[in-house]
Amino acid sequence: MIDISELSQLCDKLGCRITPECSLSEYITFRFGGPCRALINVNSARSAVELIRFMKEKNIKYGVLGRGSNVLVSDEGFDGVILLFGSDFARIDVNGNTIRCDAGASLAAACVRAQQSGLTGMENLFGIPGTVGGALYMNAGAYGSEMKDIVASAEYIDEDCEIKTIKAEDMELAYRRSFFSGTERVITSVTMMLKNGDPEEIKSAMSECMAKRSSKQPLEYPSAGSTFKRPEGSYASLLIDQCGLKGLTCGGAMVSEKHSGFVINKGYATCADVLELCEKVKSVVKEKTGYQLELEPVILR
């Protein structure tokens, strides 16, 4: 049982905003999902430590959410507390060729700050709609670039609620996974090492990247980005195309006709619609091609 009054007192002490019985649909890019028992806007690494320690001591279920761009939330919601790493925890500092970001800073904002500082290396990541912390968690990437190409170190909260520092070479960064994936470790800041470049050339490259995204991806609809991980030896979108699944629907969810690697929300999709559609796609692709597709978004349970 969650004592909201006790939790609110802790939030007051830490200066964190808390919203009881908060709908999560506005906090994920798919724009659906039920409520959580409380949502807390985390404002610092130390606040995160205190809140997580409190949850563990009280045996309260909790989850961490950034911009919700690679997340599915069930229609029933999340029976626990969500720690939101967002605008209250989004500081970006530049020092020479390094850029240090709080985990809640948006990746797009970090890319812009790098460009303004004449630092190159993040251009291809511009447009990925997540936080810097979330991007490192899953080693996000696009157009041949990944977080592992630029990350130098990170700070995180370990399983014992201690803040630790880890270097890039120890992060086990691989395709859509890292040292943090599937664990209780919570990233609090990320430091990236970039190179000097011309601000105008960097800006031009970022604009080209966004133009490419806009022309090929269904950005006009809510989604979680690429719905399936890239299977070894092929591409999810290619396999889905080959199986004639573009435009396949289930309730308000649809395999995008613009880019079949995206399942989109036509405006009234539920989480159940999306999961049912994804299972249909996986089943047909497995039957017709032999490939086993795997969901890329994390399901917040």
Side-chain angles (χ1 to χ4, degrees), residues 231-235 239 242 282-293:
E232 188 173 349
S234 189
Y235 293 90
L239 296 170
Q242 289 175 346
K282 288 165 65 178
S283 177
V284 173
V285 169
K286 176 66 174 176
E287 180 184 347
K288 292 189 174 182
T289 71
Y291 281 93
Q292 181 66 58
L293 294 182

Side-chain angles (χ1 to χ4, degrees), residues 107-120:
L107 187 58
C111 290
V112 170
R113 185 68 181 276
Q115 179 272 325
Q116 293 171 340
S117 303
L119 297 176
T120 182

Side-chain angles (χ1 to χ4, degrees), residues 25 28-32 68-69 127 129 213-214 216-227 247 249 251-269 274:
S25 60
I28 71 164
T29 57
F30 240 135
R31 294 293 179 259
F32 56 61
S69 60
R213 284 181 178 277
S214 297
K216 296 182 179 180
Q217 298 177 4
L219 302 183
E220 64 272 27
Y221 290 99
S223 76
S226 296
T227 308
T249 63
M254 181 174 77
V255 176
S256 171
E257 294 176 313
K258 189 174 186 179
H259 189 314
S260 55
F262 285 62
V263 168
I264 61 172
N265 178 358
K266 294 193 294 179
Y268 53 94
V274 169

